[in-house]
Amino acid sequence: DHNFLGYLGTELIDGQLQTDVPGVDNPLDGIGGMLLGPEGQVLVSSQLTNEVLAYSSLTGEFLGVFGDASADAVMAATGTPLEFPAGLALNDILNLYVSDLGNGRILSFDGFGGAFQDVVVELEATDPAGSRFTDMEFGRDGLLYVGFNPPLGDPGTQLGQAEVRAYDPNTGVLVHRIPGLDFAAALSTDREGHLYVSDDAASLGLDPATNLPFVDPATGAFKESRILIYELDDVHPIADAPLRVQQFSVGFGNGGALSVDPEGVIYLSNPVSGIVTLYDDEGTLLETIVPPLPPAAAAGDDNGQGRPTGQFLMRNTLLSSDEFIPPADAPLEFLTVSGQTVLDGTTVA
């Protein structure tokens, strides 16, 4: 069972958005990523049905497959079907980018309607077969930052082999690498030009020799998951990678999704422990959200807890107004007003 939950700050809003409605054919199975689309709908990558699905952001009503973002439509366009879609991202002109994890590539679609556009990025010829692109985000510099992880195998050989890659979305050319990660699970950016990365060693599981977390050979301590923060405008002249300005441990839980609000509060969802944790940019734990289970799932779940995966932040969203003119200094990403989309004060059809 799936459920969309809305929070104002950390307070659960009444009227949760139900995605499982009796009598409605809803194929959602395995949430890989989610965001608010240009037309106000919630877009969700359904990993096990190989589709991107659309839902009403007001009611949770299932609206259907988003345009050509399905296995069959992508097969018709490229000769290879969409397989296990993961991260989703919107560029500055609101095209949708989808990480096709099963095929090691990134696809683009028109954000208004979902028409297929192009295969934007593919794995390099030197990448091991089975390597995966996971989450992704656009930076303020216009580059597409993508989590890259080696193929599934012996976890002990994967430590330190993951990275974040920055691509020019227009040419697919690799511009920067951020190497030395264990598992690039989730990415987020802010308006000040920072990149946030959830480096989640726990996603690799336990050391099969000890049945304990892996040991960091440099410190002798157990490897914990961590948040890394990079300054995208400050690229190291020798390493040719953004400068890391902060990192902190978030324990041994799995990072499911990562968001940063305008005040710099970091939201990290943990589908294993069933919580969303809030941190400041120094790593101080501010608060913990425990999402409730959908009623239909509560009886059948093996440990009685939710499994928060994808998440996104809705900023300055106006739900009822006939006319709205945003102030010039309003920190808007976008908002939906009476069926129109307002972008930084400019209304587009």
Side-chain angles (χ1 to χ4, degrees):
D1 293 277
H2 299 280
N3 202 22
F4 296 150
L5 304 176
Y7 290 82
L8 185 60
T10 58
E11 180 181 352
L12 182 63
I13 298 173
D14 290 337
Q16 303 167 18
L17 305 182
Q18 302 290 334
T19 64
D20 284 315
V21 179
V24 176
D25 184 16
N26 173 15
L28 180 60
D29 193 358
I31 296 175
M34 61 189 302
L35 50 72
L36 193 63
E39 297 173 290
Q41 72 278 60
V42 179
L43 300 180
V44 182
S45 55
S46 179
Q47 294 185 317
L48 299 181
T49 62
N50 303 312
E51 300 163 313
V52 176
L53 307 177
Y55 297 83
S56 167
S57 60
L58 298 180
T59 65
E61 176 188 359
F62 175 54
L63 303 177
V65 176
F66 182 65
D68 294 333
S70 68
D72 290 344
V74 172
M75 176 69 179
T78 70
T80 305
L82 178 64
E83 183 180 349
F84 210 80
L88 304 176
L90 290 170
N91 68 0
D92 57 353
I93 58 172
L94 301 180
N95 289 327
L96 176 69
Y97 290 71
V98 179
S99 170
D100 184 356
L101 187 149
N103 294 299
R105 59 184 181 172
I106 295 169
L107 313 176
S108 65
F109 300 82
D110 182 358
F112 296 90
F116 176 80
Q117 292 180 329
D118 203 359
V119 177
V120 180
V121 172
E122 295 184 277
L123 291 169
E124 299 178 16
T126 55
D127 290 328
S131 296
R132 300 157 289 161
F133 290 133
T134 49
D135 199 18
M136 56 188 175
E137 276 283 348
F138 277 91
R140 190 173 68 174
D141 53 11
L143 298 178
L144 179 61
Y145 288 83
V146 184
F148 166 86
N149 293 287
L152 293 171
D154 179 5
T157 66
Q158 297 183 39
L159 296 173
Q161 301 303 305
E163 58 189 26
V164 172
R165 296 179 175 179
Y167 292 94
D168 181 330
N170 299 310
T171 64
V173 171
L174 178 62
V175 180
H176 304 303
R177 298 176 191 263
I178 301 174
L181 307 180
D182 295 318
F183 187 87
L187 282 67
S188 188
T189 55
D190 66 18
R191 294 172 183 154
E192 283 67 52
H194 297 108
L195 171 70
Y196 300 76
V197 179
S198 170
D199 184 21
D200 187 30
S203 287
L204 300 178
L206 300 175
D207 185 338
T210 64
N211 205 35
L212 295 171
F214 286 96
V215 172
D216 186 339
T219 65
F222 288 129
K223 270 210 172 262
E224 297 186 43
S225 298
R226 55 185 181 162
I227 301 294
L228 309 172
I229 306 175
Y230 298 86
E231 176 62 69
L232 296 183
D233 296 333
D234 191 356
V235 176
H236 193 284
I238 298 177
D240 193 30
L243 182 68
R244 188 174 69 202
V245 295
Q246 180 61 280
Q247 73 171 42
F248 55 87
S249 170
V250 292
F252 298 102
N254 293 100
L258 186 65
S259 302
V260 183
D261 74 11
E263 286 72 46
V265 176
I266 300 167
Y267 293 70
L268 179 68
S269 65
N270 187 324
V272 174
S273 61
I275 60 175
V276 179
T277 46
L278 281 63
Y279 299 90
D280 66 17
D281 60 7
E282 298 293 327
T284 302
L285 178 62
L286 303 176
E287 197 157 355
T288 298
I289 298 173
V290 183
L293 273 172
D301 194 84
D302 58 359
N303 61 2
Q305 67 185 26
R307 305 200 182 281
T309 51
Q311 65 186 35
F312 63 88
L313 298 176
M314 295 176 65
R315 301 185 179 95
N316 294 358
T317 299
L318 191 67
L319 298 181
S320 59
S321 176
D322 293 329
E323 183 177 355
F324 177 74
I325 301 175
D329 60 349
L332 299 180
E333 284 196 346
F334 63 86
L335 47 82
T336 299
V337 183
S338 300
Q340 296 178 325
T341 300
V342 179
L343 298 166
D344 297 330
T346 302
T347 301
V348 296

